Amino acid sequence: MLSDRLDAIRSELPGGVTLIVVTKFHPVGLVRELHALGVRDFGESRHQEAGPKAAEFADLDLDWHFIGQLQSNKAKAVRAYASAVHSLDRPSLLGALADPDATAPLGVFIQVNLTEDPGRGGVRPGDLAGFAERAVATPGVRLAGLMAVAGLGEDPAREFARVRELRDRVLLPVAPEATALSMGMSGDWREAVREGATHLRIGTAITGNRPDPAYSRP
Ligand SMILES: *Cc1c(COP(=O)(O)O)cnc(C)c1O
C-alpha cells in the first residue's frame, strides 16, 4: 500500500532530510492521497504536467520541486509555482530564472554532470565554481546546493561521495550557504543518505510504477 511504502522509507530517514515524492506521469488523485498522508514536497519533471497540477492544488501549502530538463522559455512559468528548481544546468537557464522583482527567492540546485559524456545534463565539475559565482550574483534565486543523478552502471555511493566532495571543496568556498545535496532516487537513496543527501527525489519506490504516458492516451 502507498502508506506502507511511504512509512517504510520515512522511518529510515535521519532528521533534516527532505523527502520529495516524485509524482510525474501520475494523476492528481495520487497527489491528493499523498497529501493526506502528510507529504508536502512533490517532484515533477515536465512543465506541461506540473503547471496544471500546481494550479489544481494552489489552495494547499505544497512545495513543488522541478527536477527535469527545463527549457529557458518555460522558466518564468515554472518559477510562478515551483519552490525550487533542481535541474539548473546552464547559464542561459540561470538568466531566464532571474527576477529582480521576485517577492521570494527561488531555490536552485546546480545539476552536476559526473560523466565524461557532455551530452548528459549538468555542469562539468571544472565549470562549477564559475557557474556558482554567477548563481550567487543572480537576483531572485537562492543557490541551495548541488543535484546529481547517479549514472547507469556506476557505483552510486562513489558518485554521491564525489558530489559531496565537490560541494565541500568547490561550492562552499564561493557560496557558503549552498549546503544542500539533492541526490538519491528509488534505487539508490540509502547510499545517498549515507553520503549526506539533504533532499531525496523518490518516485516508484513510493508510488509504484509510473503509468506509461504512451499507453494512457484515450
Ligand atoms: C523520475 C525522477 C526521479 C525519481 O525516480 P524513481 O526511480 O522513480 O525514484 C528522481 N529524479 C529525477 C531527476 C527524475 O527524473
Side-chain angles (χ1 to χ4, degrees), residues 22 24 45 67-68 147 149 184-187 201-205 210:
V22 177
K24 64 187 182 196
S45 61
I67 63 172
M147 180 274 219
V149 178
M185 305 173 29
S186 289
R201 309 177 312 272
I202 302 185
T204 49
R210 282 183 276 279

Side-chain angles (χ1 to χ4, degrees), residues 129 132-133 136 165-178:
E133 281 177 3
V136 168
E165 188 265 332
L166 279 173
R167 178 198 61 186
D168 296 346
R169 183 174 52 82
V170 180
L171 189 63
L172 293 182
V174 296
E177 319 269 282

Side-chain angles (χ1 to χ4, degrees), residues 40-42 62-66 78-86 105-109 142:
R40 296 295 178 266
D41 291 275
F42 293 89
L62 304 188
D63 280 314
W64 294 96
H65 298 257
F66 196 88
V78 167
R79 238 258 47 125
Y81 58 82
S83 352
V85 169
H86 291 237
L106 173 75
V108 293
F109 294 73
R142 182 185 62 81

Side-chain angles (χ1 to χ4, degrees), residues 38-165:
V39 175
R40 296 295 178 266
D41 291 275
F42 293 89
E44 287 283 338
S45 61
R46 302 180 305 173
H47 168 60
Q48 71 265 31
E49 184 184 350
K53 276 182 181 162
E56 169 101 16
F57 296 102
D59 55 326
L60 300 180
D61 191 18
L62 304 188
D63 280 314
W64 294 96
H65 298 257
F66 196 88
I67 63 172
Q69 266 253 318
L70 179 52
Q71 289 169 261
S72 294
N73 63 5
K74 307 216 170 107
K76 285 275 179 294
V78 167
R79 238 258 47 125
Y81 58 82
S83 352
V85 169
H86 291 237
S87 41
L88 175 59
D89 59 358
R90 59 193 192 280
S92 59
L93 178 58
L94 179 61
L97 289 169
D99 183 357
D101 304 318
T103 46
L106 173 75
V108 293
F109 294 73
I110 296 176
Q111 183 172 357
V112 290
N113 179 2
L114 299 172
T115 70
E116 297 306 313
D117 176 5
R120 294 243 336 205
V123 174
R124 311 301 301 270
D127 299 329
L128 181 57
F131 189 50
E133 281 177 3
R134 281 174 84 148
V136 168
T138 298
V141 305
R142 182 185 62 81
L143 181 57
L146 300 182
M147 180 274 219
V149 178
L152 279 179
E154 301 292 332
D155 172 9
R158 247 190 64 206
E159 301 227 318
F160 295 148
R162 259 190 87 200
V163 180
R164 177 168 43 77
E165 188 265 332

Side-chain angles (χ1 to χ4, degrees), residues 9-18 189 193-194 196-198 200:
I9 291 178
R10 276 175 165 165
S11 69
E12 280 190 53
L13 296 190
V17 173
T18 300
W189 62 269
V193 167
R194 277 197 289 274
T198 61
L200 305 175

